[in-house]
Structure formats: C-alpha cells, structure tokens
Amino acid sequence: MSKLFRAVIMGPPGSGKGTISERIAHSFGLKHLSSGDFVRENIAAKTEAGVLAKTYIKKGLLVPDHVMTRLLLPRLEEMTKYSWLLDGFPRTLAQAEALNSACDLDVAINLNIPLETLKERLQHRWIHPPSGRVYNMCFNPPHVQGKDDITGEPLIQQEDDRPEALVARLRHYKDVAKPVIDFYKAKGILYTFSDTETDRIWPNISTLLSTKISTIQSDARCASTH
Ligand SMILES: Nc1ncnc2c1ncn2[C@@H]1O[C@H](COP(=O)(O)OP(=O)(O)OP(=O)(O)O)[C@@H](O)[C@H]1O
Ligand SMILES: Nc1nc2c(ncn2[C@@H]2O[C@H](COP(=O)(O)O)[C@@H](O)[C@H]2O)c(=O)[nH]1
C-alpha cells in the first residue's frame, strides 16, 4: 500500500493559494481541503462554530485559533485514508502546532508574491461566496460577468480585498505567518516559490510534488518488500 501524501499551502491574500490548490488536486489526485470552505459550510449550517466564525469574518478578522482548530481537526480525522492538500490552514503557529500533533506533513508550500501583484489581483478578484469559487477579471474571468459559472448566482467582491484594506491585512498576515514559515523551515519541509505569475510558479510546484510523491511511493514499495 503506498504511503499517503499530506501537504499544506500558505500565502498572503491574493497569492494564488486557491488557484494553485485546484491545479494540485487535479494533477495529483489529492483531496483539496480548504479551511475557508469548511468555515463557509459551518456558517451555512449555522453550527456553533459557524455562528461564532461569522462574527469575526464580518469584521475582516481571522477566526480564533481554538474555533478554527475545533472546526478543522475532526474533518481531518475523516481523511485518514486519503492524501490531501490543506489550503488556508495553518495560518498561525498555534494552528501549526495543533496540526503537527494530529498528523505528519510531507511538504509545506509557501507562496511569496510581491505586494503590488497582490493589490492588482485582489482589485479584480470576484468570488461566489456559497462555493468559494474564485474568479479574476484579468486572469480567469467568469463566462458571464458577475455570475458564477456553475450556478449563475451573483459574484461579489470582498470588502477586505479593497486596496486600502489590503495593507493592514498583509501586515497582519506577515506577523502571524512568519512563525509558521519558521516552524516548517525548522522541520525541513518548507518550499517557497516567488514570482508574479501563477503560470510560472506552477511548473516548479508540479516538479517538486512529482518528485516528492514518487519518492514516498518508492520508499513504501521498498518497505513492503523487506
Ligand atoms: N486557518 C484559519 N484561521 C483563521 N481564520 C480562517 C482560517 N481559514 C479561513 N479563515 C477565515 O475564513 C475566511 C475565509 O477564508 P478564505 O481562505 O476562503 O478567504 P481568504 O482568507 O480571504 O482567502 P485569501 O487568503 O485568498 O484572501 C478568512 O478571511 C478568515 O476570516
Ligand atoms: N492576474 C493574475 N491573477 C491571478 C494569478 N493567479 C491567481 N490569480 C487571481 O488572483 C486572485 C487570488 O488568487 P487566490 O487563488 O489566492 O484566490 C484570484 O482572483 C485569482 O483568480 C496570476 O498569475 N495572474
């Protein structure tokens, strides 16, 4: 039986986490687990965690660690038989430590994108809140402007994607992300990718994952024959 592969992807707002996560899931057959999707599901289901999370999201804040961890770890327990990519979690050191106590990771992908590029991207980002599907009028526009490709429902722009909200959001991101980046660097599993275009970053991520996944599978085959 081949060993399972587990990875996380991190990056500031607008860095392409969601975009690249979809490509990884499609190319490598990994389950794409999005913390934002889990939050939206809980909000829609009006669970205790969802109701609490909504109060923070409406203020453009991160959901508190204990709420996020309580919401996310049980979902990972349902995934023990799958290889997965976790998008949007961890965002803080406390979350990284909680995840570390629950499972081992093979790779932590870190997207390092220039501020001006993030600003440009988020000005043109439109989302379909119920599904979390993401569009960009310059990069991947919807078939019909303002409408979700799948449901035809309206797309919105997030308040905190506005340029004036972004600087504070990015400063906060850097403050909370640095300990997480250092945590995975110390574990020897951090891989950072810097560029202004997802289409240039993608081949490098694809090569890394191809190498890592085939190495894990060949090690598993060796182990099973000894
Ligand atoms: N790991 C997490 N810890 C705390 N809050 C989270 C976490 N993941 C998601 N959230 C909350 O849920 C909201 C929606 O998450 P999602 O990833 O879909 O959007 P986002 O963070 O705005 O994405 P992006 O980083 O691309 O801007 C976030 O703005 C945040 O408030
Ligand atoms: N102009 C470009 N836009 C891009 C690129 N990669 C992603 N995007 C768009 O930016 C936002 C943020 O992406 P997310 O995956 O972090 O939500 C979103 O609207 C994407 O469609 C790119 O290389 N160039």
Side-chain angles (χ1 to χ4, degrees):
M1 174 179 147
S2 57
K3 181 184 175 299
L4 295 171
F5 179 79
R6 269 67 189 275
V8 297
I9 183 169
M10 303 175 290
S15 57
K17 284 196 305 300
T19 304
I20 290 171
S21 294
E22 290 299 332
R23 293 189 189 187
I24 291 173
H26 179 75
S27 301
F28 295 94
L30 304 184
K31 292 280 186 190
H32 174 202
L33 308 178
S34 157
S35 62
D37 288 352
F38 290 155
V39 169
R40 279 181 284 277
E41 283 169 19
N42 277 266
I43 290 173
K46 294 186 171 56
T47 63
E48 184 190 348
V51 169
L52 188 52
K54 189 172 182 178
T55 63
Y56 290 90
I57 293 173
K58 284 179 77 169
K59 297 173 197 159
L61 301 172
L62 288 183
V63 173
D65 289 334
H66 70 282
V67 176
M68 207 61 220
T69 303
R70 199 174 69 213
L71 184 154
L72 192 111
L73 292 190
R75 300 299 296 266
L76 292 186
E77 282 161 22
E78 296 166 12
M79 291 287 160
T80 52
K81 293 187 174 58
Y82 299 97
S83 292
W84 45 251
L85 171 75
L86 187 48
D87 162 13
F89 185 102
R91 296 196 190 200
T92 66
L93 182 58
Q95 292 181 14
E97 289 167 341
L99 181 63
N100 187 54
S101 63
C103 59
D104 292 330
L105 291 180
D106 299 290
V107 165
I109 295 169
N110 177 43
L111 302 178
N112 178 31
I113 311 298
L115 172 63
E116 283 314 307
T117 303
L118 299 175
K119 279 183 182 173
E120 170 66 21
R121 288 183 183 179
L122 292 179
Q123 280 182 321
H124 302 288
R125 176 163 78 172
W126 291 79
I127 63 168
H128 176 241
S131 67
R133 276 187 289 274
V134 170
Y135 300 88
N136 186 288
M137 299 319 286
C138 311
F139 180 69
N140 64 323
H143 299 319
V144 176
Q145 183 163 344
K147 302 287 186 198
D148 175 56
D149 286 352
I150 308 298
T151 64
E153 290 169 346
L155 303 177
I156 66 155
Q157 287 205 290
Q158 292 177 145
E159 265 303 296
D160 56 3
D161 276 357
R162 289 174 296 108
E164 53 275 19
L166 191 57
V167 173
R169 203 170 158 210
L170 285 176
R171 189 178 303 118
H172 178 62
Y173 171 83
K174 279 187 178 150
D175 291 345
V176 297
K178 185 173 185 317
V180 180
I181 291 167
D182 292 344
F183 180 79
Y184 288 127
K185 193 181 292 180
K187 291 173 77 66
I189 61 169
L190 181 79
Y191 296 85
T192 295
F193 299 88
S194 303
D195 205 306
T196 58
E197 294 297 327
T198 290
D199 289 342
R200 283 202 297 262
I201 287 180
W202 170 242
N204 300 326
I205 291 179
S206 181
T207 300
L208 168 73
L209 295 182
S210 299
T211 307
K212 285 290 178 185
I213 292 174
S214 55
T215 303
I216 282 171
Q217 284 168 352
S218 60
D219 289 352
R221 277 194 293 275
C222 291
S224 66
T225 55
H226 286 87

